[in-house]
């Protein structure tokens, strides 16, 4: 076991108030591309389609792209990997307080995690821009170019946070609380480039947490708040972090 993984294993084993902060990188080994980096989503699609003002003005242009990125591909095929499963097993053993995720793919919940704060909302729900009715995306008719609310006919929007939108209060507050109380923050698969999400690990560090980061490449956190950097793929690294209550993630 390499030195960084041994150190990360010790810090995590000794941690008493641990939370995880995850980004797109944790789902790459589940077949979901990251947003930034080689072959990423923003290399292939224009992020303007996820700008709230653009979406409201041009839903007929934004929705087809959104479906390609999040529903035609991501929607049904992806399965959680060993990284998601390890975090779920840690929570089940009472050794992880929660997961704060920037991801909208629902894979933490699919892996069995119960306390998941979806900082950027979720692709699994859609919300009506008119009457605010929400429904599971799987039960909505997304086939029209512009999917519409079955109740009032207004435009439906995926219930994840678009650029220019605020963070859901029911995610922001518990995430900040987890950060303030943690003694260990496990940062997995995030570039740290997007705020205010990126403030969560920074707040944890400010309040005394030890930061263990798992990433294939250094992020904005690595040079600033990370105490132990484990370079590698999330599922492969978590498979090597041996915890007494996990025989095989
Ligand atoms: N294992 C671990 N880390 C990985 C892996 C992997 N297999 N593959 C890629 N990574 C790392 C990359 O090195 C990068 O640092 O995951 C990170 C992915 O960064 P981003 O694509 O920027 O994803 P994220 O940080 O979650 O983006 C934040 O940006 O576009 C918005 O709302 C979107 O929630 C997203 C936010």
């Amino acid at each position: 076991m390499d030195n960084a993984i041994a150190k990360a294993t010790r810090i995590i084993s000794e941690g008493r108030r641990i939370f995880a902060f995850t980004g797109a990188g944790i789902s790459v080994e589940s077949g979901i591309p990251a947003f930034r980096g080689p072959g990423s989503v923003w290399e292939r699609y224009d992020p303007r389609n996820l700008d709230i003002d653009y979406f409201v003005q041009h839903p007929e242009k934004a929705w087809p792209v959104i479906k390609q990125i999040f529903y035609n591909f991501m929607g049904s095929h992806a399965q959680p990997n060993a990284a998601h499963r390890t975090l779920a097993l840690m929570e089940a053993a009472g050794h992880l307080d929660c997961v704060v995720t920037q991801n909208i793919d629902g894979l933490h919940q699919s892996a069995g995690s119960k306390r998941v704060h979806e900082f950027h909302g979720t692709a699994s729900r859609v919300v009506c821009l008119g009457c605010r009715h929400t429904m599971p995306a799987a039960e909505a008719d997304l086939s029209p170019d512009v999917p519409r609310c079955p109740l009032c006919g207004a435009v439906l929007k995926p219930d994840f946070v678009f650029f220019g939108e605020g963070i859901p209060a029911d995610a922001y507050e518990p995430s900040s609380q987890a950060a303030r109380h943690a003694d260990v923050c496990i940062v997995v698969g995030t570039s740290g480039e997007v705020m205010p999400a990126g403030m969560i690990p920074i707040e944890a560090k400010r309040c005394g947490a030890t930061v263990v980061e798992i990433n294939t490449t250094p992020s904005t956190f690595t040079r600033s708040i990370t105490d132990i950097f484990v370079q590698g793929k999330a599922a492969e690294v978590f498979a090597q972090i041996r915890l007494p209550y996990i025989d095989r993630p």
Side-chain angles (χ1 to χ4, degrees):
M1 181 188 291
D2 84 35
N3 188 29
I5 289 185
K7 272 188 188 170
T9 301
R10 181 174 52 76
I11 294 292
I12 292 170
S13 303
E14 293 169 1
R16 291 294 167 266
R17 295 181 312 283
I18 305 175
F19 83 106
F21 179 79
T22 68
I26 198 171
S27 297
V28 165
E29 288 150 280
S30 297
I32 296 180
F35 288 100
R36 296 168 185 84
S40 63
V41 172
W42 298 143
E43 264 190 357
R44 288 179 284 156
Y45 298 100
D46 185 344
R48 183 177 55 167
N49 292 292
L50 266 67
D51 173 276
I52 187 61
D53 294 333
Y54 181 81
F55 177 83
V56 168
Q57 286 156 29
H58 306 289
E60 76 290 347
K61 291 187 180 143
W63 252 117
V65 177
I66 289 168
K67 278 189 245 180
Q68 279 181 51
I69 303 173
F70 299 105
Y71 293 101
N72 299 348
F73 175 77
M74 267 191 199
S76 51
H77 320 294
Q79 294 300 316
N81 61 55
H84 299 101
R85 289 195 296 273
T86 301
L87 293 175
L89 290 168
M90 286 180 67
E91 177 193 317
H95 197 205
L96 186 86
D97 289 352
C98 65
V99 174
V100 176
T101 188
Q102 300 170 91
N103 300 341
I104 58 176
D105 56 31
L107 290 184
H108 286 297
Q109 293 91 327
S110 305
S113 289
K114 301 282 183 284
R115 289 190 299 279
V116 180
H117 304 305
E118 294 179 307
F119 211 80
H120 289 157
T122 177
S124 68
R125 250 191 336 265
V126 288
V127 59
C128 172
L129 292 181
C131 66
R132 306 309 298 172
H133 170 64
T134 58
M135 60 193 295
E139 293 170 17
D141 178 6
L142 301 184
S143 57
D145 278 352
V146 179
R148 291 189 173 276
C149 175
L151 302 187
C152 77
V155 173
L156 288 174
K157 169 189 167 292
D159 203 12
F160 53 73
V161 176
F162 278 43
F163 294 112
E165 282 194 297
I167 302 304
D170 64 354
Y172 197 104
E173 192 34 53
S175 301
S176 305
Q177 196 166 22
R180 288 195 296 270
H181 293 97
D183 60 2
V184 177
C185 173
I186 307 173
V187 176
V188 192
T190 178
S191 60
E193 292 192 19
V194 170
M195 293 297 169
M199 288 307 296
I200 294 298
I202 292 168
E203 178 72 355
K205 178 73 175 187
R206 189 184 68 79
C207 294
T210 300
V211 177
V212 176
E213 181 181 9
I214 298 164
N215 199 316
T216 44
T217 61
S219 70
T220 58
F221 295 128
T222 312
R223 293 172 294 280
S224 55
I225 63 169
T226 294
D227 295 294
I228 293 142
F229 179 67
V230 185
Q231 183 148 17
K233 294 181 177 180
E236 290 176 8
V237 168
F238 270 103
Q240 296 174 65
I241 293 179
R242 309 307 304 154
L243 295 166
Y245 45 81
I246 297 178
D247 54 16
R248 195 174 55 81

